[in-house]
């Protein structure tokens, strides 16, 4: 039986791949998408989410617009990474003009509504800045007890950050929100320790690019990171951090350990850093689970099988 999933996104290239995996997998019933600012503005992330769903004929999936700014700081987008408006121009050229609109319900209320409707059948995965989820937890503190798993994509436990040496983008973009979700949400934290070390091989991306749309467009999204992966990690492939979360939801690709984690919200050079108490120095009970192991082959298989399902 497929599990119900609510995906909170800031598309964003890897958000798009995560969305396609959710739509393409028989293991998941996507009950809705909530959008948050992050990789680009809330206007763009919302339009991108609507357009991506329209592109694969899934406008049946409701989209609820969410937070337009971080809880405390000013938004610093990642358009320099993902492209103007949050997606590469060569990808946007394949997409239709957006002709749908978000539902009237705000993302925070939609998260709570879906939790009340589906209970512990529902998995929530927040793969952008954690603002919507933090606000939902503030409004409904019982959320973790109401639903199944809550996933956070973010953090750099024992590895280097990608927006500063200490912090990953999602936790840096809204550190107070990330801190609240770690403190209140009993999340499964999926950080760069696993997401930046698994790839879809370039030859598989090139093969996908030879297929008719929408597969060729999906290949373009994966291709966008090949240069960064080659220069930063010396590997010949594409990465999609958010898709690693879906690979666990769909195919148990990750290994988790209980841990006590704090997020640096002091605003200094390590703002947004994940303080992972690996050796129990704080003598605190665990407040989350952290992903420390990943099956790279299972990840790549999940991505490719889910994307290829759109060509069947
Ligand atoms: O650090 C990677 C995360 O930041 C991903 O969610 C990506 O979409 C960006 O939001
Ligand atoms: Ca994202």
């Amino acid at each position: 039986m497929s599990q119900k999933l609510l995906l909170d996104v800031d598309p964003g290239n890897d958000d798009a791949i995560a969305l396609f995996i959710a739509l393409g997998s028989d293991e998941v019933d996507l009950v809705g998408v909530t959008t948050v600012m992050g990789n680009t503005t809330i206007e763009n992330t919302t339009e991108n989410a609507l357009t991506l769903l329209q592109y694969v004929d899934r406008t049946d999936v409701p989209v609820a617009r969410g937070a337009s700014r971080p809880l405390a700081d000013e938004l610093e987008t990642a358009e320099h990474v993902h492209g103007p408006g949050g997606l590469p121009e060569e990808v946007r050229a394949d997409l239709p003009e957006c002709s749908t609109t978000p539902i009237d319900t705000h993302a925070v209320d939609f998260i709570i509504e879906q939790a009340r409707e589906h209970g512990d059948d529902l998995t929530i995965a927040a793969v952008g800045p954690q603002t919507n989820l933090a606000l939902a937890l503030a409004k409904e503190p019982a959320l973790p007890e109401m639903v199944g798993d809550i996933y956070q994509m973010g953090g750099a436990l024992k590895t280097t950050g990608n927006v500063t040496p200490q912090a990953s983008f999602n936790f840096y973009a809204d550190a107070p929100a990330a801190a609240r979700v770690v403190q209140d949400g009993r999340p499964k934290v999926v950080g760069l320790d696993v997401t930046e070390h698994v790839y879809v091989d370039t030859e598989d991306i090139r093969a996908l690019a030879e297929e008719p749309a929408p597969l060729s467009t999906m290949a373009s999204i994966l291709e966008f990171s090949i240069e960064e992966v080659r220069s930063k990690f010396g590997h010949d492939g594409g990465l999609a951090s958010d898709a690693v979360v879906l690979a666990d939801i769909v195919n148990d690709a990750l290994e988790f350990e209980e841990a006590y984690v704090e997020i640096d919200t002091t605003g200094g050079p390590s703002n947004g850093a994940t303080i992972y108490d690996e050796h129990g120095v704080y003598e605190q009970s665990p407040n989350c689970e952290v992903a420390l192991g990943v099956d790279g082959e299972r990840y790549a298989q999940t991505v490719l099988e889910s994307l290829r399902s759109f060509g069947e």
Side-chain angles (χ1 to χ4, degrees):
M1 174 164 147
S2 62
Q3 59 183 306
K4 298 190 181 302
L5 173 65
L6 188 159
L7 201 45
D8 187 71
V9 293
D10 62 329
N13 290 305
D14 53 336
D15 304 72
I17 299 297
L19 180 60
F20 290 138
I21 293 172
L23 294 168
S25 168
D26 294 334
E27 300 296 319
V28 165
D29 171 12
L30 187 62
V31 300
V33 172
T34 50
T35 58
V36 65
M37 49 78 218
N39 286 322
T40 184
T41 64
I42 187 63
E43 289 78 16
N44 290 336
T45 60
T46 303
E47 180 169 311
N48 291 344
L50 290 165
T51 305
L52 291 164
L53 287 166
Q54 185 179 330
Y55 184 53
V56 292
D57 298 324
R58 288 302 308 273
T59 54
D60 58 293
V61 177
V63 174
R65 174 182 162 134
S68 58
R69 52 152 301 156
L71 297 182
D73 307 316
E74 294 308 315
L75 173 60
E76 295 176 33
T77 75
E79 290 195 9
H80 59 289
V81 173
H82 292 263
L87 291 172
E89 287 175 318
E90 59 267 38
V91 170
R92 191 174 302 285
D94 290 348
L95 301 180
E97 277 300 310
C98 185
S99 62
T100 59
T101 56
I103 59 175
D104 291 339
T105 308
H106 189 277
V108 173
D109 297 318
F110 185 77
I111 290 170
I112 296 168
E113 281 176 10
Q114 293 302 308
R116 288 180 178 146
E117 180 176 345
H118 300 295
D120 57 14
D121 289 340
L122 183 68
T123 294
I124 298 172
V127 297
Q130 302 288 300
T131 317
N132 290 337
L133 196 45
L135 291 169
L137 284 161
K139 191 166 184 180
E140 181 45 272
L143 197 66
E145 288 71 44
M146 293 165 68
V147 300
D149 290 323
I150 293 176
Y151 283 82
Q152 282 184 293
M153 193 278 127
L157 301 169
K158 302 164 72 174
T159 189
T160 304
N162 62 357
V163 67
T164 68
Q166 296 294 322
S168 75
F169 177 78
N170 287 342
F171 288 8
Y172 174 84
D174 193 343
R180 287 299 347 162
V181 176
V182 166
Q183 288 160 355
D184 303 340
R186 291 209 60 80
K188 298 170 90 90
V189 182
V190 182
L192 302 179
D193 310 80
V194 292
T195 72
E196 287 196 328
H197 298 282
V198 287
Y199 316 100
V200 176
D201 288 343
T202 300
E203 65 177 322
D204 292 323
I205 297 172
R206 299 286 192 244
L208 203 61
E210 295 302 310
E211 299 291 341
L215 275 61
S216 49
T217 304
M218 296 169 180
S220 298
I221 296 173
L222 288 168
E223 275 172 343
F224 198 68
S225 64
I226 288 175
E227 195 40 53
E228 175 199 1
V229 169
R230 184 177 291 121
S231 60
K232 202 171 168 185
F233 301 107
H235 190 87
D236 191 13
L239 75 80
S241 285
D242 296 342
V244 179
V245 172
L246 268 289
D248 190 64
I249 293 169
V250 166
N251 204 6
D252 295 323
L254 296 172
E255 292 165 24
F256 288 92
E257 288 181 18
E258 287 198 327
Y260 179 74
V261 168
E262 292 184 3
I263 307 294
D264 180 353
T265 59
T266 55
S270 59
N271 194 54
T274 327
I275 300 159
Y276 165 48
D277 188 10
E278 183 177 6
H279 301 298
V281 172
Y282 287 147
E283 297 181 346
Q284 292 286 335
S285 304
N287 55 3
C288 64
E289 293 178 77
V290 294
L292 290 173
V294 57
D295 182 329
E297 285 185 21
R298 184 172 289 203
Y299 161 71
Q301 174 199 0
T302 305
V303 174
L304 291 167
E305 284 182 1
S306 301
L307 298 187
R308 284 191 171 278
S309 73
F310 289 91
E312 291 166 2

